[in-house]
């Protein structure tokens, strides 16, 4: 198994972890906010699970499939995090299409909601571009 395939397995675990946040007692408050900061709905959970399955399939199929996952997922997820900072909503869950822009903000809730997207997306993109060794 190549480095990129192992990274995809890591993304499988991370994305399944993100999808499970709403279902672990104590992580959501009375308003349904994970860590009291952001809300994940069923659609968000489905996106995380679908992405996790994509990462798993890529890891099990081949090095090339893993590279494609990391490049595409990385670009999409990184972009979603950037949009989150500028508008308060991402495009992967259609939030930018269904909500008015909340404007640029670097508040703590906005950071906690978007930094994971920037880090996971940025690392995936970097790995797909720079770690292409077998």
């Amino acid at each position: 198994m190549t480095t990129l395939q192992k990274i995809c397995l890591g993304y499988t675990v991370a994305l399944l972890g993100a999808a499970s946040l709403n279902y672990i007692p104590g992580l959501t408050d009375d308003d349904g906010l994970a860590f009291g900061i952001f809300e994940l709905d069923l659609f968000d959970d489905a996106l995380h699970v679908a992405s996790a399955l994509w990462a798993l399939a890529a890891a099990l199929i081949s090095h090339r499939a893993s590279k494609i996952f990391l490049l595409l997922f990385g670009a999409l997820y990184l972009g979603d995090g950037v949009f989150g900072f500028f508008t308060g909503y991402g495009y992967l869950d259609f939030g930018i299409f269904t909500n008015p822009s909340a404007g640029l903000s670097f508040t703590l809730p906005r950071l906690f909601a978007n930094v994971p997207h920037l880090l996971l997306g940025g690392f995936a993109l970097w790995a797909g571009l720079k770690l292409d060794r077998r």
Side-chain angles (χ1 to χ4, degrees):
M1 183 168 275
T2 68
T3 300
L4 295 187
Q5 289 172 288
K6 290 175 186 174
I7 291 171
C8 283
L9 288 177
Y11 273 85
T12 300
V13 172
L15 291 162
L16 287 175
S20 69
L21 289 177
N22 281 342
Y23 311 101
I24 300 173
L27 293 185
T28 55
D29 63 13
D30 293 336
D31 295 325
L33 299 175
F35 306 111
I37 298 171
F38 53 87
E39 182 179 8
L40 294 170
D41 59 21
L42 222 46
F43 188 73
D44 294 318
D45 295 339
L47 282 170
H48 286 121
V49 169
S51 297
L53 293 174
W54 180 22
L56 179 62
L60 296 176
I61 291 170
S62 70
H63 172 84
R64 185 173 188 275
S66 296
K67 180 176 181 166
I68 291 169
F69 166 80
L70 291 168
L71 292 173
L72 293 177
F73 174 85
L76 289 170
Y77 221 58
L78 179 64
D80 197 59
V82 170
F83 268 82
F85 274 117
F86 280 95
T87 68
Y89 303 97
Y91 54 76
L92 292 176
D93 65 355
F94 303 111
I96 62 169
F97 304 111
T98 59
N99 300 295
S101 176
L104 178 65
S105 173
F106 293 101
T107 60
L108 201 55
R110 188 82 63 94
L111 286 170
F112 282 138
N114 293 295
V115 166
H117 287 228
L118 296 175
L119 293 176
L120 288 171
F123 180 76
L125 195 56
W126 175 82
L129 291 169
K130 297 294 184 183
L131 298 180
D132 190 17
R133 297 185 185 101
R134 292 182 184 257

